[in-house]
């Protein structure tokens, strides 16, 4: 048996990539460690945006147009909340609410987030093993130059990534423990892939959980990152543009430009391979300053050859000795 | 200014009566003390069936056919929960969920149930003052002769009032405190009305909150009860039939038959007036054994003269000295 692939990532960008990977990889070969730094409590419910996006995408339920939430969704409950005079900035669909109700009910009964996630994955028929990065509460906070401390989703959704960012904090990360199975999966992996997710909002919160960064440094598996940034392809989709603005705003707070090389520099102590988009091939040397092996392929869906070119390029880095 | 009317009751039967009363009474003259013994936590949400039925009815939002929930409701969230493999025995509509989300969120922030209820009433444009009986958690439990301890809603909705009842318990009532304003409203009232609600499921939980029964015994206001039982009118509506079965099952556990006289006997220490339905006029003497003044009028909607005959008969018992 070949060793499994461990994927680390967030929501929308990561899920699109996992689906591409699953064109050439069996679900049982993939374990995902998903960012929970975006998790929030809204109206008494525990919302896990990245876990839900992952589960919805892997079960074929996600709204492909919007990128988040379920297809064929309605928003009658949120409309009713607005009718009750409530400000609703985080939209939850009526069917999506079932996920949050089930999760919140189970958490209230003492079930861990890992176990809840396994219940949800099973209920949705997801064959991939999906783990939260931790069962503890970690919150990505964006501190603005105006001094406001915003939950990341508040910064992204409510404020449309507009405020200038002074600092990104992973509140609670210091006391968090990796979820059961996370460290073992990394140690036993044949390949670890950092998804094309917002580095500071979706990857670094995972790396901030004590033990995970060390596990990535010490695993025998090669660690590969896929760039979330393709500088030379214009973005037309409004959702993508918002996410790009958020990525750039958070990188700026670290004094970094919104480039693939800047992302690579964040992973320099971990990564052996970095996948750069073919459109940004001129950045190859800049990336190589941080990560020695640069793989140049088309990474965006619909802009080059079929997705499995990317998937095969990524899986080419996998170590193939038997377990 | 004449003294106000205080109404004590539960959900469906009570709300129909409050609406009849409001044909001849100004909303600002009425204060309701609503049973919360049916309150339950479902999927992490606090549900207050009787408070919600009351608010929905008074704001003209309730589904007149079903008797509970909102008109024009959809159930997509509950359908999605079933799709996730969950047993759903307590149906929550998509728009109704907004009420529970708002309430649960506010309770989680430390807001009391009284304050939450005031927020909801204001948001729905309800001019009547609606108070929960208590801000504490009190749960009506039905102990079956088979030894099961069921939440009242579980007995009613999930088990369709079928199990034989050995005992009715008001768990937590001994430690509960009347909600702010309840005792003062009773003390200052010109009339207190016990609604035509299930006596053991909707009225007695209120009376079980320490201080409320004593306040009813000592107030200068006359206390009047409206019979929830009309023995000689056949029930065709399935919902009504279920509620009648529940009423009878709970009364049987106290060794009482499902009659107006049996209901009157539960209130004998409190009530000066008892409204008996005209169809049950032959029970007049039996009722008088418990409550000295029996008022005989049609009490069921659509079975006699317009509702305001009942309302005027009830309000005739009000004391009219100025405040």
């Amino acid at each position: 048996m070949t060793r499994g692939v461990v994927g680390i990532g967030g929501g929308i960008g990561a899920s699109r990539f996992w689906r591409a990977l699953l064109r050439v990889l069996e679900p049982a070969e993939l374990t995902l460690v998903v960012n929970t730094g975006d998790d929030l409590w809204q109206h008494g419910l525990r919302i896990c945006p990245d876990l839900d996006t992952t589960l919805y995408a892997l079960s074929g339920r996600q709204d492909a147009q919007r990128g988040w939430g379920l297809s064929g969704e309605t928003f009658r409950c949120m409309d009713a909340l607005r009718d009750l005079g409530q400000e609703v900035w985080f939209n939850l669909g009526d069917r999506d609410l079932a996920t949050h109700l089930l999760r919140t009910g189970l958490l209230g009964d003492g079930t861990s987030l890992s176990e809840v996630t396994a219940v949800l994955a099973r209920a949705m028929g997801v064959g991939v093993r999906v783990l939260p990065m931790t069962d503890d509460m970690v919150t990505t906070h964006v501190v603005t130059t105006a001094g406001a401390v915003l939950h990341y989703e508040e910064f992204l959704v409510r404020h449309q990534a507009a405020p200038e960012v002074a600092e990104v904090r992973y509140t609670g990360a210091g006391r968090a423990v990796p979820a059961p199975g996370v460290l073992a999966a990394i140690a036993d992996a044949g390949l670890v892939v950092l998804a094309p997710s917002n580095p500071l909002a979706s990857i670094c919160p995972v790396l901030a959980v004590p033990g995970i960064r060390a596990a990535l440094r010490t695993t025998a598996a090669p660690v590969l990152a896929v760039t979330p940034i393709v500088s030379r392809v214009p973005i037309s989709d409004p959702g993508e543009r918002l996410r790009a603005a958020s990525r750039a705003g958070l990188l700026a707070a670290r004094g970094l430009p919104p480039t693939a090389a800047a992302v690579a520099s964040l992973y320099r102590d971990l990564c052996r391979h970095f996948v750069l988009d073919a459109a940004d091939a001129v950045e190859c040397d800049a990336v190589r300053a941080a990560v020695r092996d640069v793989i140049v392929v088309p990474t965006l869906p619909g802009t080059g050859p079929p997705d499995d070119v990317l998937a095969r390029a990524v899986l080419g880095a996998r170590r193939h000795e038997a377990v």
Side-chain angles (χ1 to χ4, degrees), chain A:
Chain A
M1 206 183 109
T2 29
R3 290 176 182 271
V5 174
V6 170
I8 295 177
I12 297 175
S15 295
R16 194 156 47 208
F17 175 71
W18 307 140
R19 279 167 60 99
L21 212 54
L22 289 166
R23 292 166 62 117
V24 293
L25 192 69
E26 289 301 315
E29 290 185 277
L30 184 59
T31 296
L32 299 180
V33 178
V34 177
N35 171 46
T36 59
D38 299 3
D39 284 18
L40 67 169
W41 288 87
Q42 285 277 293
H43 323 293
L45 295 180
R46 172 73 171 270
I47 320 291
C48 301
D50 286 357
L51 279 171
D52 291 344
T53 296
T54 303
L55 292 175
Y56 293 165
L58 295 184
S59 63
R61 290 160 196 242
Q62 99 280 29
D63 186 291
Q65 189 66 39
R66 261 198 323 263
W68 57 269
L70 292 161
S71 61
E73 188 59 288
T74 52
F75 294 87
R76 290 174 52 85
C77 180
M78 294 298 117
D79 288 344
L81 263 179
R82 288 187 189 93
D83 288 349
L84 289 174
Q86 298 301 297
E87 191 205 2
V88 177
W89 59 268
F90 199 79
N91 238 350
L92 301 170
D94 297 323
R95 290 185 62 87
D96 179 43
L97 274 169
T99 304
H100 313 312
L101 290 175
L102 175 51
R103 176 189 294 122
T104 306
L106 289 172
L107 288 173
D109 294 342
T111 309
S112 72
L113 183 61
S114 304
E115 295 169 301
V116 170
T117 305
V119 167
L120 286 169
R122 205 161 36 238
M124 295 185 204
V126 171
V128 172
R129 188 168 168 228
V130 179
L131 305 175
M133 66 189 198
T134 176
D135 285 337
D136 302 315
M137 196 74 193
V138 173
T139 306
T140 300
H141 280 120
V142 173
V143 186
T144 71
T145 52
V149 181
L150 304 174
H151 185 288
Y152 174 69
E153 292 289 346
E154 220 180 339
F155 167 76
L156 181 73
V157 178
R158 192 183 204 172
H159 297 286
Q160 295 286 296
E164 195 183 343
V165 182
E167 192 192 340
V168 183
R169 285 182 199 158
Y170 307 118
T171 309
R175 292 182 308 278
V177 174
V182 167
L183 298 183
I186 293 170
D188 292 346
L191 174 70
V192 178
V193 184
L194 307 185
S197 295
N198 185 326
L200 289 168
S202 301
I203 303 290
C204 290
V206 182
L207 305 181
V209 176
I212 294 185
R213 191 161 204 128
L216 290 169
R217 280 184 187 148
T218 54
T219 178
V223 178
L224 173 151
V226 179
T227 184
I229 297 181
V230 185
S231 305
R232 285 158 192 84
V233 173
I235 304 174
S236 60
D237 177 73
E240 286 299 326
R241 214 180 292 150
L242 171 63
R243 289 187 283 276
S246 166
R247 245 177 357 232
L250 269 50
L251 285 167
R254 295 277 176 103
L256 294 172
T259 62
V263 175
S265 74
L266 291 169
Y267 308 149
R268 79 163 67 228
D269 60 323
L270 308 169
C271 268
R272 197 182 300 174
H273 311 281
F274 192 92
V275 175
L276 179 68
D277 192 89
D280 288 347
V282 294
E283 287 187 53
C284 204
D285 287 345
V287 172
R288 204 169 279 134
V291 179
R292 60 181 163 153
D293 181 47
V294 182
I295 301 166
V296 181
V297 283
T299 64
L300 297 177
T303 55
D307 279 352
D308 45 353
V309 171
L310 171 61
R312 284 182 203 289
V314 166
L315 293 176
R318 191 179 188 184
R319 67 185 173 123
H320 278 288
E321 70 276 39
V323 177

